[in-house]
Amino acid sequence: MQVRVIAAGVSLVFATTACATAQPRGAAAPPTPTAPATAADTWQDQAAPAEPQAQVGTPASPCPMPFTFDTPAGWTPTPGDAESRDGLSATCTVTGPPTTLRAWVGSDPGSTPRGALERFIQGEGKITDPEYRESPVGRSTGVELTFAHPDTPGARSRAFAVATPLRTLVVSLNAPTPEAYQQALPAYLLAKQSLTPTER
């Protein structure tokens, strides 16, 4: 008799849960917002690139480079401030509503994407939790880096690098808040997806 009572209780729990969560047939589930990065999802691979609107790096662009990449609507390129980081020069700044992307060009033949990121990160001051991984960049393979700054709790910064026999390129995203990072991530992913070397 005791076993039957337990089974009945379990059946009642499942029935109650089903009634509470069931939706009318044909009803669409509400959209799920993109969640901030967690320790288990540092890379947020479920995020999607933004839709392209313009291209940066062409000869007609405000900042011509030996690489091009796409930008979404509302993002404006301007020439970089030429800040130097061990052979990398800040060549282009692309400003969007929440933050900026910066393109760094290096001219060391034979440099690797990982080496370019290691040189780039030296100028970031104190950082925490750096992680590297190989990742598709445009039609080739590059290296991607994500890290945090102790003075912006919860926010992450991110950069990718790719190399040709003549040049390296780093594109970085630094966000002042976790919310700004979420807003800018689709633009960063679009740049990473569309990156094209133009100098052979």
Side-chain angles (χ1 to χ4, degrees):
M1 181 64 67
Q2 184 178 5
V3 174
R4 292 179 180 176
V5 171
I6 293 174
V10 172
S11 299
L12 179 60
V13 170
F14 278 111
T16 304
T17 303
C19 291
T21 59
Q23 295 182 358
R25 182 175 297 178
T32 302
T34 302
T38 64
D41 186 26
T42 300
W43 297 103
Q44 290 192 265
D45 287 328
Q46 81 285 356
E51 289 295 321
Q53 179 71 26
Q55 194 173 58
V56 172
T58 64
S61 168
C63 40
M65 297 182 290
F67 302 84
T68 64
F69 57 86
D70 294 339
T71 57
W75 288 70
T76 305
T78 56
D81 57 11
E83 177 187 348
S84 180
R85 295 189 182 182
D86 193 15
L88 294 170
S89 179
T91 304
C92 190
T93 298
V94 188
T95 305
T99 184
T100 59
L101 299 176
R102 299 183 77 189
W104 306 75
V105 177
S107 57
D108 294 334
S111 180
T112 64
R114 174 69 181 250
L117 286 176
E118 289 174 346
R119 296 201 304 277
F120 159 78
I121 205 172
Q122 289 177 4
E124 285 295 299
K126 187 176 181 180
I127 66 165
T128 60
D129 306 320
E131 294 185 32
Y132 294 86
R133 70 172 181 177
E134 286 194 355
S135 181
V137 177
R139 295 185 178 182
S140 62
T141 300
V143 175
E144 193 169 16
L145 162 70
T146 181
F147 58 96
H149 287 280
D151 55 349
T152 54
R156 297 207 60 90
S157 296
R158 197 153 165 170
F160 68 80
V162 69
T164 71
L166 298 176
R167 307 277 184 175
T168 54
L169 175 76
V170 173
V171 175
S172 61
L173 163 61
N174 290 86
T177 65
E179 293 75 19
Y181 179 85
Q182 295 302 317
Q183 288 180 276
L185 185 57
Y188 167 90
L189 294 175
L190 174 62
K192 179 170 171 276
Q193 173 184 275
S194 60
L195 196 282
T196 304
T198 55
E199 181 182 69
R200 303 296 180 184

